[in-house]
């Protein structure tokens, strides 16, 4: 069954604005990761946040994690055209067998308008 | 450049063909993965190899056959595929979380092989 689910499915914003994407999951996790995928390309790791962390920053990226609500958010500040991509959260679930260990959501398609 | 190289980038095959996808990683990782990405579906894990041993995945049809001759190379052999198998096939590598305390770290993905089955 699907673990992580991103919201919204698609998001269009003006260049320079901030973009916020959310991820909800169902079971306890060890960590949560965010990945980016440009159209037709592979996924690129952005940031990993551990279950005992609440917030993490990397450049223009800010990730929060609320384990009580089983949710995470990815904020991209001062968006640029190059940020246009799909963004996925991936959860490392506690106690799962190997095949279910890391589960990806369906992703949020972000489009930055010029 | 992520250190994971997939070939071919694009493949068109008929349902009776036999073809293979290749993945090579230059990162010194001990685990390699095949994922399938179809439109409007979550990324699906197909196979995991750790130290060249396969983790069984019973949900993948036998027309997909993986091979891992060493820790740097991974193949996906394709035989009598169906049109619904058309997808982007992604290879990834990592340090094996199950050898490192069962906590998954960063996955490094290749650019993918876009497969079209006619």
């Amino acid at each position: 069954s699907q673990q992580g689910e991103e919201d919204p499915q698609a998001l269009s914003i003006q260049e320079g604005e901030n973009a916020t994407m959310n991820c909800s999951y169902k079971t306890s996790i060890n960590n949560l990761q965010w990945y980016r995928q440009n159209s037709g390309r592979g996924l690129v790791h952005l940031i990993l946040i551990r279950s005992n962390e609440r917030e993490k920053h990397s450049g223009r990226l800010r990730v929060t994690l609320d384990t009580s609500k089983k949710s995470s958010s990815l904020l991209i500040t001062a968006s640029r055209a190059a940020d246009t991509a799909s963004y996925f959260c991936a959860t490392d679930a506690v106690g799962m067998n190997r095949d279910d260990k890391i589960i990806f959501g369906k992703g949020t398609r972000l489009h930055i308008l010029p | 450049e992520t250190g994971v190289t997939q070939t071919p980038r694009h493949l068109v095959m008929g349902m009776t063909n036999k073809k293979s996808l290749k993945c090579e990683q230059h990162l010194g990782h001990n685990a390699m993965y095949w994922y399938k990405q179809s439109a409007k579906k979550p990324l699906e894990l197909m196979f995991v190899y750790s130290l060249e041993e396969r983790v069984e995945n019973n949900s993948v049809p036998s027309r997909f056959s993986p091979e891992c001759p060493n820790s740097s190379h991974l193949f996906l052999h394709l035989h009598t595929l169906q049109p619904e198998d058309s997808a982007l096939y992604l290879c990834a590598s990592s340090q094996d979380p199950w050898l490192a305390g069962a906590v998954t770290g960063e996955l490094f993905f290749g650019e993918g092989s876009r497969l079209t089955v006619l």
Side-chain angles (χ1 to χ4, degrees):
Chain A
S1 62
Q2 185 178 335
Q3 166 76 321
E5 191 161 334
E6 293 88 348
D7 167 58
Q9 290 187 0
L11 177 64
S12 292
I13 61 171
Q14 294 294 137
E15 192 168 12
E17 293 181 340
N18 296 340
T20 300
M21 288 157 275
N22 302 297
C23 171
S24 59
Y25 57 92
K26 297 176 182 173
T27 63
S28 296
I29 60 171
N30 294 306
N31 61 50
L32 184 145
Q33 303 180 53
W34 284 93
Y35 287 81
R36 186 184 79 191
Q37 184 181 33
N38 287 55
S39 181
R41 308 290 292 272
L43 278 72
V44 176
H45 182 264
L46 295 176
I47 199 164
L48 181 153
I49 186 165
R50 302 191 189 285
S51 60
N52 61 355
E53 297 176 310
R54 291 297 166 257
E55 189 170 311
K56 206 161 182 180
H57 297 255
S58 176
R60 293 184 296 113
L61 304 181
R62 173 178 168 249
V63 168
T64 61
L65 179 64
D66 187 335
T67 52
S68 66
K69 294 181 179 178
K70 290 186 170 58
S71 68
S72 173
S73 67
L74 170 66
L75 169 67
I76 303 175
T77 60
S79 62
R80 305 168 182 169
D83 295 328
T84 294
S86 292
Y87 292 82
F88 297 86
C89 68
T91 51
D92 178 342
V94 172
M96 288 288 189
N97 63 40
R98 195 167 196 156
D99 293 348
D100 297 325
K101 199 72 173 78
I102 182 163
I103 306 293
F104 284 84
K106 291 184 182 179
T108 292
R109 293 189 313 279
L110 175 64
H111 186 206
I112 307 299
L113 303 168
Chain B
E1 178 59 52
T2 63
V4 180
T5 304
Q6 288 188 243
T7 55
R9 291 293 311 278
H10 300 273
L11 178 63
V12 179
M13 60 187 288
M15 289 192 286
T16 58
N17 291 160
K18 286 184 183 180
K19 297 284 184 183
S20 296
L21 305 180
K22 179 183 175 182
C23 177
E24 184 175 359
Q25 59 98 0
H26 308 275
L27 301 168
H29 289 156
N30 52 25
M32 295 186 77
Y33 311 76
W34 279 117
Y35 282 88
K36 177 183 178 183
Q37 187 177 36
S38 305
K40 300 183 180 179
K41 286 186 178 180
L43 215 61
E44 300 172 56
L45 177 63
M46 299 176 73
F47 300 103
V48 180
Y49 273 84
S50 172
L51 297 176
E52 301 142 49
E53 276 193 35
R54 187 172 95 179
V55 175
E56 291 299 322
N57 188 320
N58 297 325
S59 63
V60 180
S62 59
R63 57 185 183 269
F64 295 92
S65 174
E67 178 190 0
C68 187
N70 55 61
S71 60
S72 298
H73 293 86
L74 185 65
F75 294 89
L76 188 63
H77 303 301
L78 315 169
H79 177 49
T80 57
L81 295 191
Q82 305 298 312
E84 60 264 30
D85 297 322
S86 298
L88 182 68
Y89 288 85
L90 292 162
C91 173
S93 72
S94 76
Q95 287 304 112
D96 186 358
W98 287 75
L99 298 176
V103 178
T104 304
E106 178 181 351
L107 293 171
F108 292 77
F109 284 85
E111 295 284 26
S113 294
R114 171 68 64 186
L115 173 66
T116 302
V117 182
L118 301 176

